[in-house]
Amino acid sequence: MSEPTELVHEGAVGGDERQSEPEPGSGVLRVFGRQLKRFRVRAGLERPEFGSLTGYSVSTIAAYEQGRRVPPPKFIDRADEVLDAGGVLQEMKEEVARAQYPAFFRDAARLEGEAVELHVYDTHLINGLLQTEEYARAVFTMRRPLLSDETIDERVAARLVRQDIFNRRPMPTLSFVIEQSVLTRPVGGAYVMRGQLEQLLLSGRRRNVEIQIMPNAREEHAGLAGPFTLIETQDARRIAYVEAYRHSRLYTDRGTVRELEEQYGLLRAQALTPRDSLALIEELLGET
């Protein structure tokens, strides 16, 4: 593939997560924490009292103020109200939310949220947009080096927030090509996998979603180079997102994106139809 013209990112993908963690007390989390503390002090509230008013522990409040944890949107809304911050804290909510994602995925997450079309090819796991909470937790729990419990909670929450794309209006067009082997890999155990297969069926029945399964026995296969995502934004930009070990890249040059679009078109032609794919998922569900 040709080199991308912009939006090239280096990061950890299923590898050294330490490279992708936001540094404690840095960036937007540090700025938000300083603002939060400033408004709390201005309101004359100590941490225990503020924690009582917002429903969070003193240690959690301290972690937010020091930029060591990512505050959830509901906390930001409540804090802005309790501290009479006039929307200052709420205005930072989107940027703070992006800090939940590993560094290599933040720009991709932003573009995903703007997508009018999203087309995904997956080879190892169910895509994050289709994952249940239990499946997502199992995926993050298995990461090596190990993630902290707090980071796992934040990553799971962020993954579920991404699924708001299904409720957007106007509805985006979403399609997924998934390797059959992914459906038989019991991530999290049989119970978790059963719930995940049920989720796939529900998602595949949405009017704006098509799920296709690539059979293990298929001799012709256009996607042997690995997984990727194609994104078209509201302003008609076409972008490809590709992950590999310790690297992730957003490609915007037309040549590279066109190559991947061609691959995806062939993958859809080689995979089972959406109807047959849902039938296969139902068959696998009956075997779990």
Side-chain angles (χ1 to χ4, degrees):
M1 289 186 179
S2 58
E3 284 300 309
T5 56
E6 57 179 326
L7 295 175
V8 181
H9 303 277
E10 303 292 334
V13 184
D16 190 352
E17 280 288 341
R18 291 169 295 186
Q19 292 187 9
S20 67
E21 292 295 323
E23 295 181 5
S26 67
V28 68
L29 296 183
R30 182 179 62 187
V31 173
F32 176 84
R34 286 203 304 258
Q35 293 289 347
L36 177 64
K37 183 176 181 179
R38 182 174 291 116
F39 280 112
R40 177 179 63 77
V41 172
R42 188 193 69 169
L45 297 175
E46 296 294 330
R47 281 175 181 163
E49 186 179 1
F50 180 51
S52 177
L53 291 171
T54 57
Y56 291 79
S57 69
V58 173
S59 61
T60 299
I61 297 297
Y64 292 160
E65 291 185 349
Q66 295 163 10
R68 293 185 290 105
R69 289 187 63 181
V70 182
K74 64 180 180 180
F75 168 81
I76 297 176
D77 289 337
R78 180 61 177 157
D80 197 280
E81 178 185 354
V82 168
L83 300 176
D84 192 24
V88 172
L89 297 178
Q90 289 179 319
E91 286 178 357
M92 300 178 66
K93 190 161 55 175
E94 182 176 343
E95 289 302 314
V96 168
R98 288 183 65 203
Q100 297 179 96
Y101 301 112
F104 70 85
F105 186 66
R106 287 173 193 161
D107 282 330
R110 174 179 56 81
L111 291 167
E112 181 182 86
E114 301 171 1
V116 294
E117 289 189 25
L118 198 69
H119 306 289
V120 184
Y121 170 54
D122 283 308
T123 60
H124 292 85
L125 294 168
I126 302 296
N127 189 267
L129 291 175
L130 300 171
Q131 290 179 7
T132 64
E133 180 175 353
E134 294 78 12
Y135 186 98
R137 187 169 297 278
V139 169
F140 288 123
T141 299
M142 287 186 285
R143 284 284 179 88
R144 295 296 185 274
L146 291 171
L147 302 177
S148 68
D149 290 342
E150 289 181 355
T151 299
I152 291 173
D153 289 342
E154 290 171 358
R155 295 287 173 84
V156 171
R159 182 150 292 183
L160 296 179
V161 167
R162 286 173 57 203
Q163 297 177 7
D164 287 345
I165 192 173
F166 292 108
N167 302 316
R168 272 180 30 204
R169 294 294 183 272
M171 293 186 295
T173 298
L174 309 173
S175 72
F176 302 84
V177 176
I178 307 170
E179 291 292 327
Q180 182 180 349
S181 59
V182 173
L183 305 184
T184 56
R185 182 175 296 119
V187 174
Y191 176 80
V192 170
M193 200 61 207
R194 180 174 181 81
Q196 182 58 71
L197 291 175
E198 291 173 345
Q199 174 95 325
L200 283 180
L201 282 178
L202 292 174
S203 298
R205 289 169 180 155
R206 293 176 181 267
R207 290 192 298 121
N208 63 322
V209 177
E210 289 192 339
I211 294 175
Q212 294 181 252
I213 307 303
M214 177 65 77
N216 291 335
R218 190 69 81 219
E219 294 181 5
E220 297 180 341
H221 197 304
L224 297 179
F228 58 87
T229 299
L230 299 171
I231 304 168
E232 182 166 346
T233 62
Q234 295 176 354
D235 55 359
R237 286 187 297 162
R238 292 184 176 183
I239 300 163
Y241 175 67
V242 181
E243 292 186 3
Y245 179 66
R246 299 175 69 88
H247 300 278
S248 68
R249 289 182 175 180
L250 285 163
Y251 293 91
T252 59
D253 66 288
R254 190 63 196 131
T256 300
V257 176
R258 186 184 294 111
E259 287 179 14
L260 290 170
E261 288 175 340
E262 180 181 359
Q263 286 184 37
Y264 194 74
L266 291 171
L267 283 168
R268 295 198 69 177
Q270 293 163 352
L272 297 176
T273 66
R275 183 185 295 272
D276 289 343
S277 295
L278 293 183
L280 175 60
I281 294 171
E282 288 181 332
E283 179 181 335
L284 293 173
L285 188 57
E287 297 173 359
T288 60

